[in-house]
Every structure is written in structure tokens, then in C-alpha cells.
Amino acid sequence: MLIKNANAYINGKFRIRDILINGEQIVKIAYCINAKNEEIIDANGLIALPGLIEIHAHLREPGQEQKEDFLSGSRAALAGGYCLVYDMPNNMPKPTITKEALEKKKMLAKNALCEIRFHFGATKNNFVEVRNAKPESMKIYLGKTTGNLVIKSNVALKHMKNFPKGKQIIVHAQDGETVEDAQTGVQTAIKLAKKATRKIHITHTSTAKEIELAKKWKLATVDTAPHYLFLNKEEAIKMKPKEKMFVNPPLRNKKEVACMWKELEKIDAIGTDHAPHLLNDKIKGAHGFPGLETALALFLDAHSKKKISLDWIATRFSENPAKIMKLNKYGKIANGYFANITLVDLRKVWIVKGKNLYSKAKWTPFEGRVLKGKVVKTIYKGKVVFTESV
Ligand code: DOR
Ligand code: ZN
């Protein structure tokens, strides 16, 4: 396959280039490559981002396939520009906390349309399972959320000490409703990581202070979810039904959101926390938003309003997630890397509608938003797996 004339993010800069793909890999990048027998993709006028990597999604299979499964979740991912998705372990009724559960998920995910990898849940007594399962990453819940995976600090510390240093631990640190609760949670997580002298990644930070606290530990990285930058409590309260706005950690007020925008440079990654629930479940109090199909476009739109650079987007959605998860051959458009490429049209204006989502959620907290910028093609390991239909 040959991608012609893309404005591609290569070596930290956008440049017009042709990109030659052989099998699953990028084999040549140059100003002009002549086609022989390749399938040609005309990317004139389009931006090429390294295929997006989602480090925080809940794909719900097995157990709650009515909310999402690997097929629907991966389709949503591709439509949002993602080629690789990390799935969270808080499945109900059976969380991913044993070798058996992990193996089962790997089997089930074989029908996914993009790559799926798995975070393994830490519990108060699954140390042997962790050793046997050899997961590539671990999730520690220090704060309450959907499922029942919260562990105490002393147990978390033991996991942090035992889990191989070369692998990543993702921490849900925040507990409770208030900003102070969240900040205390992050402080605890950092204290533990320092004691264990290891890397951790703190997910869904929702206040500037959390980011500041986390970044005091040189081995900590942080992400935030789009809703902590593009939604605020005062506006969300007007949603109908009002239960739609429930998410964990909760949405923050306008002032906090403004402070978050000032911390952009310190945010290492965007994780959508794609947490699909049917509207019926939301009304009964389920927390979480679908996020895979709107995340990138929200930031592209912010770029069109000059609030954020394309470099920031490329690094936070792909390059840094690859670094955080210590992945080789992902997160860059470069020779020898996997041919995961997200083609974006910055001129395309569209309206977010829940009913058009591939996710089974079929609703979105961003309903009705007019966004400028859209994924038009997603290339996963050398194959076009999503093409925009409108
Ligand atoms: O709102 C949330 N929903 N936050 C989480 O941390 C979990 C998620 C879910 O699984 O529904
Ligand atoms: Zn989550």
C-alpha cells in the first residue's frame, strides 16, 4: 500500500510525505515514492497521525455484552482513529484477576477488528495469579468505582513492589466526590510508588492539583479524559435525564476545568475511559461515558479554535501512550514501525449524535456538538479497516 501526499507527523514535525507499507509495516517514507503495483491511498489535504492508542477503555466482554463487546468496542475504536485499545479488568460479574480470566479475554478478543490488550486487576490476595498470568500491565484501584476491585494501601504497595519494574501499573487513585478527595488519592498513590521506587501511571486526573502532585514523582505519568476538559458540572447538570452526567471521578466545575487547560503541557496522555452503559443503566445510576468515537475529534476541534497544537494531539494520543506502555514499533510513523495510521480531515464539520455511534451505548454526553475535524480512514497493521461513510 502506498499513501500519497499525507501531511504526516514524522520525527516530531508535520511534513508532506509518501508512506510505503509492506504487510504490517512501514518500509519507506519519502517526499515522492513511485507506485508499482500498490494499492494507492490519496491523502492529499489530509493529516496522518500515528495510529491512536487508548490506554483506558472498558469493553465489557465477558459479562456485560449488552453494553459493549470486543466487536462493537473495536469498531468504535477504529471509527475514533484507534488501532490499539487497552481493556480494563473491572468486568462484571467476573473481573480479570486470574490467569483463567485473562486467557479467556484473550480468546474472546480474537474477533476484534483492532488490537486489544489487557490490564490485569490487583486484589488483596491474587499475588500468585499475577505471577502465573504474567500480564503485561496491572491496574490498581485505590478508589471506588464500577465493580469491586478496591484494595487497601498496604496491599497496593505489595503489588507495586512485586510487579516487574519494566511493566506499567495504572492506578485509579481518586476516591470520593470532592476535588480534595481526588488530590488525597493521588498523593497516596505517589507515596506508595516512591516507597516501591517504581513507575506508575495515574489515570483520569481531573484537577490541576492532582497533576502537579503526581508530577512530583519523576517516574509518574498522568492522563486525563476528554470530559474533564470539554465538559463542566454547571453545564452537565442541564443534561436530560440528569443521571447522564454521572462519571467517576465526577465532572468538575468551570473554574477547575479552566485550571486543567493550563496544565496541558504536563498531561502525558489522553485516555478516554470509554465506559459504555445503556441509557437505561444510566438512569439507574451507572457511572461512565462512551468516549472512543469523540475523543480525537474534540481535540481536533480545539485545534481549529487554536487552543491546542497538532503536535500535542499526536504525542498525547499515540506517541506517549506507546512510551507509557513500553511498546516497540507503535506510536510513530517511522520505518520498521507497524503501519498503524489515522488519516484525519481537519476541514470536515460534523455533529455528534449518539444514535450514530458504533458503541452499543448509543448516547454521548457530547450530543449535538458541532466539531471541526474528523477521522476519515484508519489503517491498522497495513489494512484500511475504517473509512468514513458520510
Ligand atoms: O465512570 C466510570 N465508569 N469510572 C470508572 O472508573 C469505571 C467506569 C465503568 O467501568 O463504568
Ligand atoms: Zn475506567
Side-chain angles (χ1 to χ4, degrees):
M1 180 190 293
L2 180 62
I3 303 174
K4 292 288 289 177
N5 296 315
N7 189 6
Y9 188 70
I10 295 164
N11 263 335
K13 268 201 193 122
F14 281 90
R15 327 155 189 256
I16 307 286
R17 289 290 182 273
D18 291 354
I19 303 165
L20 185 64
I21 294 167
N22 188 2
E24 296 193 337
Q25 288 194 349
I26 297 170
V27 292
K28 190 175 176 187
I29 300 170
Y31 188 70
C32 185
I33 302 174
N34 289 320
K36 297 199 180 88
N37 293 315
E38 294 87 3
E39 170 189 354
I40 295 199
I41 295 185
D42 177 11
N44 194 10
L46 301 179
I47 295 287
L49 297 173
L52 308 195
I53 300 170
E54 163 68 295
I55 51 182
H56 187 153
H58 302 263
L59 299 181
R60 308 292 191 209
E61 186 175 357
Q64 291 181 309
E65 292 85 350
Q66 75 282 9
K67 292 178 194 261
E68 200 78 291
D69 56 32
F70 289 122
L71 192 61
S72 63
S74 60
R75 207 170 260 147
L78 292 170
Y82 290 90
C83 292
L84 166 55
V85 175
Y86 280 85
D87 178 48
M88 283 294 167
N90 64 332
N91 290 67
M92 303 238 265
K94 275 201 178 157
T96 320
I97 54 175
T98 61
K99 181 178 178 185
E100 191 192 346
L102 180 64
E103 297 302 324
K104 184 168 178 191
K105 257 193 180 175
K106 283 184 182 167
M107 269 267 302
L108 292 168
K110 283 195 176 140
N111 73 344
L113 305 171
C114 68
E115 187 168 356
I116 316 280
R117 294 175 180 235
F118 307 93
H119 298 310
F120 194 82
T123 74
K124 66 173 189 283
N125 52 18
N126 72 344
F127 295 95
V128 174
E129 289 289 347
V130 173
R131 220 175 309 132
N132 292 340
K134 296 188 180 56
E136 74 165 280
S137 54
M138 172 179 276
K139 176 78 184 283
I140 288 179
Y141 287 90
L142 291 171
K144 272 192 255 0
T145 185
T146 312
N148 199 9
L149 287 177
V150 183
I151 54 175
K152 298 223 164 74
S153 292
N154 59 327
V155 181
L157 178 61
K158 199 170 158 194
H159 275 294
M160 285 188 192
K161 283 183 172 163
N162 282 7
F163 199 57
K165 290 252 158 75
K167 297 182 179 186
Q168 190 56 271
I169 294 184
I170 314 284
V171 185
H172 175 133
Q174 308 86 345
D175 199 7
E177 284 286 308
T178 68
V179 295
E180 289 78 16
D181 288 337
Q183 290 153 8
T184 310
V186 167
Q187 232 160 356
T188 305
I190 294 298
K191 209 167 73 194
L192 299 175
K194 279 186 177 170
K195 268 195 193 159
T197 44
R198 67 155 302 130
K199 276 198 177 113
I200 59 167
H201 176 78
I202 300 201
T203 193
H204 50 45
T205 56
S206 60
T207 65
K209 188 80 190 289
E210 285 166 70
I211 296 168
E212 188 193 307
L213 288 167
K215 293 303 230 170
K216 283 191 175 152
W217 175 230
K218 60 181 187 304
L219 299 180
T221 46
V222 299
D223 71 59
T224 188
H227 40 273
Y228 302 117
L229 288 165
F230 292 97
L231 289 173
N232 62 61
K233 206 162 145 185
E234 291 92 334
E235 288 295 319
I237 263 165
K238 298 180 203 152
M239 285 181 189
K240 285 193 181 81
K242 66 174 188 311
E243 292 86 357
K244 270 188 184 169
M245 73 176 281
F246 292 160
V247 64
N248 236 323
L251 295 176
R252 304 305 183 189
N253 64 30
K254 270 187 190 159
K255 206 170 143 206
E256 283 293 343
V257 173
C259 293
M260 279 293 278
W261 275 94
K262 294 200 182 113
E263 298 298 329
L264 280 185
E265 280 315 309
K266 289 198 200 128
I267 296 170
D268 298 289
I270 294 298
T272 74
D273 198 0
H274 178 78
H277 294 287
L278 302 180
L279 211 42
N280 252 340
D281 299 324
K282 289 295 288 177
I283 293 162
K284 291 183 206 141
H287 283 54
F289 303 150
L292 285 166
E293 290 165 83
T294 43
L296 177 63
L298 286 163
F299 286 89
L300 295 174
D301 184 65
H303 168 72
S304 81
K305 295 175 173 130
K306 306 206 176 346
K307 288 166 79 173
I308 211 156
S309 72
L310 282 177
D311 296 42
W312 191 97
I313 293 175
T315 48
R316 272 59 179 190
F317 275 87
S318 188
E319 194 170 320
N320 291 356
K323 280 188 199 154
I324 289 165
M325 296 315 299
K326 303 174 198 306
L327 297 168
N328 287 324
K329 299 190 186 178
Y330 291 84
K332 280 186 185 172
I333 298 177
N335 276 341
Y337 274 60
F338 282 117
N340 288 345
I341 295 175
T342 303
L343 293 179
V344 160
D345 189 340
L346 292 177
R347 302 155 297 189
K348 197 137 213 153
V349 177
W350 62 294
I351 303 173
V352 179
K353 287 185 186 153
K355 69 174 170 61
N356 293 342
L357 297 183
Y358 288 99
S359 167
K360 290 187 185 180
K362 297 286 173 216
W363 72 277
T364 154
F366 302 105
E367 184 72 31
R369 287 236 184 165
V370 180
L371 300 179
K372 190 169 182 191
K374 199 171 197 306
V375 173
V376 289
K377 264 190 205 315
T378 307
I379 297 161
Y380 166 56
K381 291 197 172 163
K383 294 201 173 77
V384 176
V385 280
F386 170 78
T387 298
E388 198 227 18
S389 52
V390 227

